[in-house]
Amino acid sequence: MLAYGLLALVLSTVLAVVTWSVVSDYLTQQRDESAESVTSDNAAALRYGLFGAPQPCVPARERADCSGLTLQPGVQVLQVLRTLPSTDAAASMAYVDDEWYSLTGRPSDLPPDLIRTALGGNTVHRRIEVSGQPVLAVGVPMGRPDEAYFEWHPLTALDNTLLKLKLTLIAAAIATALVGLAVGRLASTLALRPLAELNRVADAVARGKLDARLLAEQDRDLGGLARSFNQTASALERRVAADARFAGDVSHELRTPLMTMLNSMQLIQNHRAELPAAVREPVELLGDDLDRFRRLVIDLLEISRDDGGDRGSREIVRIADLVRAAADATAGREVTTVEPEAEGLTLQADKRRLERVIANLVENAEDHAGGCKGVGVEAGGLGVIITVDDAGPGIAAEDRTRIFERFGRGETSGRGRGVGLGLAIVARHVQWHHGTIQVTTRPGGGARFIVELPAKTS
């Protein structure tokens, strides 16, 4: 777009400069020649009125020795000046017999060198200012030595014409540049439209919509790129689906032995008092690891269900009731505060997914961040805002995106014991509900998870 605009500006500027130069020179030259011609004619008429018929020794515009010419008896210079043809001249003056004669204008306004040139026998013209107005002063020799006739012609009309021409050319150059920008924008939009579509589809794939495809396979310019991209996206979709199936199959296969181990561990813990003291601590450690193993299997099943294309089911839920039940049950105590204006908010939601979002956030705060300080529900944002505060050290700014990745852990947040799937599941489920999630610092210390969902009043 800028290239089109600059090209149009350069071309229009060059054209404007050339046009200005040619037209202004032509108009100025025409004005000079017209003024000089009129002044020469008036000088000839004055000479005829003063000296009678011209003698052969008086060339039209060349100095000659005509000293033999004498004024006709009874002729006054001012009378002859009054009889000269009417022209656009603003002043007419004559220097005859060492004396100035003038109907209008003052000889003192004429440049001395212009007077000397005309009295020396040469026709001369020059642009000057008289009383602040631009005029063209013209001097023509009268035929006798040291005698000349002078006029000045107004240049206001010419200057106004040149000013209008200049403004018109400037406006045309600016308009051409703007048209060039518009054409450039249109051309760039048309040229980059397939790339914009590619960017949109690539962004959709990056956000997990693996079935997004480019529709430009028949485009003669980008068809090859579109086909390659679609093939890559298809291969990625198949690979992710295969991995999801593998993770789901493994998780299902692990559930049976896991349940056996958990039941056995529960039996052992029920008879903990009967165990030798040296065995009790290893049993407790084994119990903790089995619990982490159980959570990992559950999270893997949840992730594989999402990756496998589980569309879930939507139903109308009262957000305040769902959050209160899920958060308080996970924390084992009342931690939820609902603002009055949020009590009636509802959402078309997958109840299981939304409960999992709240449970994972509270569980994350309880297990890895010093405990849950509170869960808040209020109206605002996209519709409803859910906040989960913890008592931990907070999350560094550089880790606030990483913690939502699969098996992602904040390097500076002190959350090293998590298996790294809980917050990834939260992010996937919030996105499934067309919401957003972010992490900030809680006033007073700790982290605050903020979930916004598109709710409405019931």
Side-chain angles (χ1 to χ4, degrees), residues 245-450:
R245 287 194 300 271
F246 175 76
D249 293 343
V250 170
S251 300
H252 279 292
E253 292 297 326
L254 289 175
R255 291 183 70 178
T256 299
L258 176 61
M259 291 303 299
T260 301
M261 288 186 288
L262 288 173
N263 291 333
S264 300
M265 178 56 64
Q266 185 63 45
L267 180 61
I268 293 174
Q269 289 177 341
N270 290 339
H271 296 81
R272 183 175 180 277
E274 302 174 10
L275 296 176
V279 178
R280 293 175 185 174
E281 184 176 358
V283 168
E284 290 179 358
L285 294 176
L286 180 60
D288 290 341
D289 284 342
L290 279 175
D291 186 60
R292 291 183 63 204
F293 187 31
R294 176 187 64 81
R295 294 181 184 178
L296 176 59
V297 171
I298 294 174
D299 287 345
L300 284 174
L301 282 172
E302 189 74 18
I303 286 288
S304 63
R305 181 181 297 158
D306 269 1
D307 289 344
D310 179 21
R311 298 184 180 276
S313 59
R314 294 183 183 271
E315 58 182 299
I316 298 178
V317 298
R318 292 177 62 90
I319 299 176
D321 295 342
L322 184 146
V323 172
R324 187 184 290 111
D328 294 352
T330 303
R333 62 188 187 281
E334 292 186 3
V335 294
T336 307
T337 302
V338 180
E339 298 296 330
E341 66 272 13
E343 285 287 355
L345 294 177
T346 61
L347 172 67
Q348 283 277 353
D350 184 320
K351 189 175 180 180
R352 178 188 62 81
R353 280 185 167 95
L354 195 53
E355 287 176 342
R356 191 65 188 274
V357 168
I358 305 304
N360 280 14
L361 290 176
V362 174
E363 188 176 89
N364 179 75
E366 287 286 298
D367 295 344
H368 312 304
C372 178
K373 298 292 291 183
V375 178
V377 182
E378 61 184 73
L382 298 175
V384 64
I385 299 176
I386 303 170
T387 58
V388 179
D389 296 337
D390 63 41
I395 301 175
E398 60 269 21
D399 294 333
R400 291 177 181 177
T401 301
R402 186 184 306 122
I403 60 173
F404 293 108
E405 299 174 356
R406 297 183 184 185
F407 298 101
R409 301 175 183 175
E411 296 179 359
T412 60
S413 63
R415 299 170 184 259
R417 293 186 66 253
V419 297
L421 286 177
L423 294 180
I425 293 173
V426 168
R428 288 290 296 272
H429 288 352
V430 170
Q431 181 183 356
W432 190 90
H433 286 91
H434 307 292
T436 63
I437 184 170
Q438 59 177 324
V439 186
T440 61
T441 301
R442 180 179 69 88
R448 168 171 290 178
F449 289 78
I450 303 174

Side-chain angles (χ1 to χ4, degrees), residues 168-252:
T168 301
L169 292 175
I170 292 175
I174 295 175
T176 304
L178 294 177
V179 170
L181 288 173
V183 173
R185 182 176 181 83
L186 177 61
S188 61
T189 300
L190 294 176
L192 297 178
R193 183 178 296 168
L195 296 182
E197 179 68 11
L198 173 62
N199 181 69
R200 185 189 65 79
V201 175
D203 182 66
V205 172
R207 288 186 286 105
K209 191 177 180 181
L210 300 181
D211 58 345
R213 296 292 184 271
L214 282 173
L215 303 178
E217 292 192 4
Q218 305 304 320
D219 188 284
R220 62 180 182 180
D221 297 318
L222 297 177
L225 175 62
R227 285 188 290 272
S228 298
F229 180 87
N230 289 341
Q231 291 172 2
T232 302
S234 298
L236 177 62
E237 184 179 20
R238 291 192 296 271
R239 177 63 180 272
V240 170
D243 290 344
R245 287 194 300 271
F246 175 76
D249 293 343
V250 170
S251 300
H252 279 292

Side-chain angles (χ1 to χ4, degrees), residues 73-156:
V75 174
Q76 295 184 6
V77 178
L78 289 178
Q79 290 178 349
V80 177
L81 284 176
R82 292 189 183 96
T83 62
L84 293 179
S86 177
T87 64
D88 67 347
S92 56
M93 295 161 284
Y95 188 76
V96 179
D97 286 342
D98 299 326
E99 187 175 351
W100 282 102
Y101 299 91
S102 173
L103 293 179
T104 56
R106 296 176 301 177
S108 60
D109 290 330
L110 294 172
D113 57 336
L114 183 141
I115 297 175
R116 287 195 299 269
T117 301
L119 293 179
N122 295 314
T123 300
V124 62
H125 64 266
R126 183 175 304 168
R127 182 189 180 101
I128 62 174
E129 282 194 5
V130 178
S131 300
Q133 298 297 321
V135 298
L136 181 66
V138 183
V140 178
M142 292 283 293
R144 298 197 307 175
D146 297 327
E147 291 183 354
Y149 174 73
F150 301 90
E151 287 183 350
W152 62 58
H153 300 261
L155 294 177
T156 304

